[in-house]
Amino acid sequence: MASACALTTIAILAAILFYVLLLLSRTMELRFAASYAMVDCAPPPSSDDGAAAFRGTLLPLLAALPAAAAPTGFASLQSGGGAFARGLCLGDPAPQDCLACLAAAAKKLAGCGASRRAGVWRSEGCFLAYADGNTSSAHEDAFRDVISFGEEVYPAVISVDDGTLPSYPNCFDTRALVALAQSLAGRGAANCSGARVVTDAAALSSNATGKNAVKLRAQCARDRAAAAECARCLGDSAREVRACGWGLDGEHERVADVLGYNCFLRIETSVPPRPVAKYVKQPVVLALCAAILLVLVVTAVIACVRKKRGTGNVAAAAASGQQTNASPAAN
């Protein structure tokens, strides 16, 4: 029994020590889901006698596009009935991943009914659209949708030395952000793997106080690959991103995907890993951890002692009963 109690205490100590070290070495994170499938179905014409014929040529096109785009990450197809479709996989994914993403996207577009133009964007990293012409419409040029997600990163212990709540620098300089996004057109944004750039938050914000890194990832559709057109599209996308709410204080992380028919833009902030020394130097943290550890150890020892006493009482009662039963026999 004593050995069992000792092992229990050691196990509790090991678990608590591991948890404390985990708190000291990194931050607590609250994660948000980053999965989405955004569908844009343009309003169908008020009168469309050729809708059935158009859809009859469109559906086989959507079925064929994923396999056509998977090897290189992009394809643009045309049917004899005037339907056009194009698919783009972001980055440089494996062909099977590109195929799976575009196949799922094609199923989504099949639900747009009589729409002559539609597009779908999936968080797995692909875009698929169809139209009744090979040039962009005014709706497609202007369309943008911003999907934001990310992580809230908190220190293990939040303390304010002067007794006041901290202020969180939040805002990007929109002009600097637009210029950086446009520069990606000249860095290969129209290539199969797109373009990326990483900079410090201070280069894009006048009030960033933390060591946030900012990464921009961009990709333009290859059939809209002219540098000027790609730069214009990326600049328009950057203007749609809200300038504030980014928490550029080294404690927050954000991601924003800007979805468009002719380009994709991702803006992502990240923070560096936390050094252990930052928390070891805080006596309040150490005192709190020590107190918790002491309470748990004492609780474990008391539980073991009570259990041992209970076992001893049961054994004594059993021995007393045996002696009682043996007395008549002796007589």
Side-chain angles (χ1 to χ4, degrees):
M1 178 58 63
S3 61
C5 287
L7 289 175
T8 302
T9 303
I10 293 173
I12 293 175
L13 286 173
I16 297 303
L17 180 61
F18 174 79
Y19 180 69
V20 169
L21 290 176
L22 186 64
L23 286 178
L24 294 178
S25 62
R26 58 173 296 174
T27 58
M28 298 293 288
E29 296 176 353
L30 176 63
R31 299 180 182 274
F32 294 87
S35 178
Y36 61 82
M38 171 64 195
V39 180
D40 175 52
C41 303
S46 56
S47 178
D48 190 357
D49 296 334
F54 175 76
R55 188 165 179 81
T57 61
L58 172 64
L59 294 180
L61 207 63
L62 293 178
L65 186 61
T72 63
F74 177 79
S76 179
L77 303 179
Q78 177 182 359
S79 72
F84 294 80
R86 57 192 177 117
L88 171 69
C89 288
L90 304 174
D92 192 14
Q96 62 269 25
D97 295 334
C98 181
L99 176 64
C101 187
L102 288 174
K107 292 179 181 179
K108 287 286 186 180
L109 282 187
C112 280
S115 295
R116 287 277 183 156
R117 291 176 178 259
V120 58
W121 297 258
R122 293 187 64 86
S123 57
E124 294 91 335
C126 69
F127 160 72
L128 193 152
Y130 73 79
D132 55 359
N134 199 30
T135 57
S136 297
S137 67
H139 168 77
E140 290 171 342
D141 283 337
F143 176 86
R144 294 293 186 282
D145 193 77
V146 182
I147 298 179
S148 300
F149 51 93
E151 299 176 350
E152 300 286 353
V153 182
Y154 299 98
V157 174
I158 301 176
S159 62
V160 182
D161 295 335
D162 59 2
T164 61
L165 292 176
S167 61
Y168 297 110
N170 287 323
C171 302
F172 283 129
D173 181 337
T174 299
R175 290 175 299 179
L177 187 64
V178 169
L180 186 60
Q182 289 176 328
S183 73
L184 292 172
R187 299 173 188 239
N191 295 339
C192 60
S193 58
R196 302 183 185 189
V197 64
V198 179
T199 187
D200 189 82
L204 300 173
S205 172
S206 60
N207 64 349
T209 60
K211 294 186 177 298
N212 292 76
V214 183
K215 179 170 69 176
L216 270 64
R217 173 185 171 188
Q219 196 157 355
C220 293
R222 294 183 216 171
D223 56 349
R224 308 289 191 269
E229 185 175 0
C230 180
R232 177 185 60 80
C233 185
L234 293 174
D236 291 343
S237 293
R239 291 185 184 92
E240 293 297 320
V241 177
R242 63 177 185 176
C244 296
W246 287 87
L248 304 175
D249 55 359
E251 304 289 350
H252 301 74
E253 294 183 346
R254 298 283 189 271
V255 179
D257 284 354
V258 190
L259 313 178
Y261 275 84
N262 297 321
C263 64
F264 168 86
L265 177 66
R266 168 171 286 188
I267 302 170
E268 181 177 0
T269 66
S270 60
V271 299
R274 298 305 175 86
V276 175
K278 176 176 180 180
Y279 298 108
V280 172
K281 293 179 181 180
Q282 296 185 20
V284 176
V285 176
L286 295 178
L288 180 61
C289 291
I292 294 174
L293 188 61
L294 179 61
V295 169
L296 290 175
V297 170
V298 170
T299 303
V301 171
I302 291 175
C304 288
V305 171
R306 286 180 177 177
K307 188 173 182 180
K308 184 177 180 181
R309 287 179 177 176
T311 303
N313 292 337
V314 170
S320 176
Q322 291 178 356
Q323 291 178 358
T324 302
N325 293 333
S327 296
N331 295 331

